[in-house]
Amino acid sequence: MNVRTQARLWIAQRASAAVLALCVVVHLVTIIYAVRGGLTGAEILERTRGNLGWLGFYTVFVLAVSIHAPIGLRAVMTEWFAWRGASRDWALLAFALLLLVMGLRAVFAVFT
Amino acid sequence: MNPLRVRIWRGAEAGSFSEYEVPREESQTVLDVVTYVQRKLDSSLAYRFACRVGMCGSCAMTVNGVSRWTCRTHVAKVAEDGRLEIGPLHNLPVIRDLVTDMREFFDKWARAKGQFSGTRTRHEEFERVAPESEERKKVDAGIECIGCGVCYSACDVVSWNPEYLGPAALNRAWTLDQDARDAGKLDRLRAVSGDAGCHSCHTHMSCTERCPKQISPTAGIAGLKRAVIKAALKGEL
């Protein structure tokens, strides 16, 4: 991987961190509100189904996670396990896709 | 005063600590202790020093596990119960005893393009740099590096990622990036980007904590990260 791509990955990780900082706060507040209010699973689904706002919000959340986590793991793999080179990057790309697919699947499951 | 009990690393990568007893003196430095051992107790001890006054950067060692310049480190400040453990710097191959092979440390300065790249010749006027300009102030904050290797020895990222250029080389690159006369900025930014460069810094700040010249390589590395973002956004990187 060339240096330009490495620098861009770093920028992508910082940018996705900024998005996650907001998303995590909204997510946690929503969870606490839903639990304290005593909402049932069915009542939560009632609110999320067909709601484009929540669809958009959690799609952005999943995209940010799929970008942020694998890039962070890339440094962990390098520094803790001395795993470098193309095999590491392909494995992390697969991990990013896994996060993306599983995340979006969950998002659509509460939308439809 | 009771004599000091000093353990000093003997050997290369493989070796062990040997214990010596050294008389305590007023205002004694760690370098004084090592010199006493070499001159009075065991002339085979290998170590480096030159200026003895904190200018040359050659006497850095680890003292009780912490990387320090030894000529300006007073025993009274670092001895624990009258004991000192003195070893070679971390993150560098040990040649013998307290002497490390500094080649990789300085080669990384070259890899970070730590050379000034000017545009004028000796036949032209000097370029004038206003002392109060922001760039000049940033250069001033980082320019007094003596190349002792303390920051490099204290850096966790260097120990985890041997390719990492390290705080001193990146600090040097930063001072040149802020030098109004330098013409090699873009090439340098490319050299200090990515996995081996500024983007691998975790901002642990061990370099800043340990630098005997009170330089903050961490601040310079953060500056390089910002400069890389600007260059990337302009499509220049």
Side-chain angles (χ1 to χ4, degrees):
Chain A
M1 185 183 290
N2 66 33
V3 165
R4 184 183 302 172
T5 311
Q6 290 169 8
R8 283 178 179 164
L9 282 181
W10 183 87
I11 293 169
Q13 204 202 14
R14 291 308 186 272
S16 58
V19 173
L20 282 174
L22 183 68
C23 288
V24 168
V25 170
V26 173
H27 180 62
L28 287 176
V29 168
T30 308
I31 290 173
I32 292 165
Y33 168 77
V35 171
R36 284 171 67 100
L39 291 175
T40 64
E43 285 168 331
I44 291 170
L45 282 175
E46 210 173 276
R47 286 161 170 76
T48 59
R49 281 196 174 131
N51 188 320
L52 286 173
W54 285 123
L55 176 75
F57 173 76
Y58 278 106
T59 301
V60 169
F61 198 156
V62 166
L63 280 173
V65 168
S66 307
I67 293 167
H68 188 81
I71 302 172
L73 273 178
R74 190 170 173 274
V76 174
M77 293 301 165
T78 308
E79 292 172 3
W80 289 32
F81 304 108
W83 187 11
R84 297 181 171 84
S87 65
R88 174 202 57 191
D89 293 337
W90 283 112
L92 288 169
L93 182 63
F95 180 64
L97 290 172
L98 182 72
L99 284 176
L100 187 67
V101 169
M102 289 177 68
L104 289 180
R105 189 169 163 265
V107 171
F108 282 108
V110 295
F111 177 72
T112 52
Chain B
M1 283 189 284
N2 291 327
L4 277 168
R5 296 179 70 181
V6 185
R7 283 159 51 82
I8 297 181
W9 182 258
R10 304 305 307 271
E13 295 294 333
S16 60
F17 284 96
S18 296
E19 191 155 323
Y20 304 92
E21 206 170 84
V22 177
R24 197 71 178 81
E25 306 281 352
E26 285 290 335
S27 302
Q28 190 176 24
T29 66
V30 175
L31 184 62
D32 291 338
V33 170
V34 176
T35 300
Y36 180 91
V37 171
Q38 202 265 347
R39 292 190 181 166
K40 308 274 187 185
L41 304 178
D42 187 346
S43 61
S44 69
L45 176 66
Y47 70 114
R48 280 198 193 105
F49 75 97
C51 75
R52 298 172 295 156
V53 289
M55 290 170 67
C56 72
S58 53
C59 70
M61 302 169 198
T62 59
V63 183
N64 290 343
V66 175
S67 308
R68 297 181 181 279
W69 57 356
T70 55
C71 68
R72 301 289 298 272
T73 301
H74 280 246
V75 170
K77 279 193 176 170
V78 291
E80 292 166 4
D81 298 326
R83 290 169 184 271
L84 284 179
E85 188 174 278
I86 304 171
L89 289 176
H90 301 304
N91 296 335
L92 290 162
V94 181
I95 297 172
R96 185 157 70 90
D97 303 340
L98 302 172
V99 178
T100 53
D101 184 343
M102 305 282 286
R103 275 181 296 185
E104 181 68 356
F105 173 69
F106 288 113
D107 284 350
K108 285 180 175 176
W109 288 49
R111 257 180 265 160
K113 298 208 181 293
Q115 309 88 342
F116 173 71
S117 166
T119 50
R120 298 193 181 191
T121 69
R122 69 181 67 183
H123 306 295
E124 292 169 85
E125 267 295 302
F126 287 115
E127 187 148 14
R128 301 192 185 280
V129 179
E132 66 276 6
S133 70
E134 280 307 308
E135 287 82 4
R136 178 66 230 194
K137 286 179 189 165
K138 286 174 185 162
V139 173
D140 281 342
I143 202 68
E144 295 292 341
C145 176
I146 55 173
C148 63
V150 162
C151 60
Y152 191 83
S153 169
C155 178
D156 291 326
V157 181
V158 174
S159 55
W160 296 330
N161 178 4
E163 294 299 307
Y164 181 53
L165 293 168
L170 292 171
N171 177 71
R172 172 65 183 161
W174 170 244
T175 58
L176 289 169
D177 185 71
Q178 294 301 302
D179 190 326
R181 305 163 303 162
D182 188 88
K185 290 184 173 42
L186 211 51
D187 274 348
R188 188 174 301 106
L189 278 183
R190 290 190 192 110
V192 299
S193 292
D195 295 346
C198 61
H199 297 111
S200 281
C201 172
H202 286 287
T203 323
H204 288 169
M205 300 185 77
S206 303
C207 53
T208 302
E209 172 84 13
R210 296 291 169 220
C211 175
K213 301 293 285 183
Q214 280 82 48
I215 294 169
S216 174
T218 314
I221 293 167
L224 286 175
K225 288 175 180 173
R226 287 192 297 274
V228 170
I229 289 180
K230 279 183 196 162
L233 289 178
K234 286 184 195 165
E236 294 173 345
L237 196 66

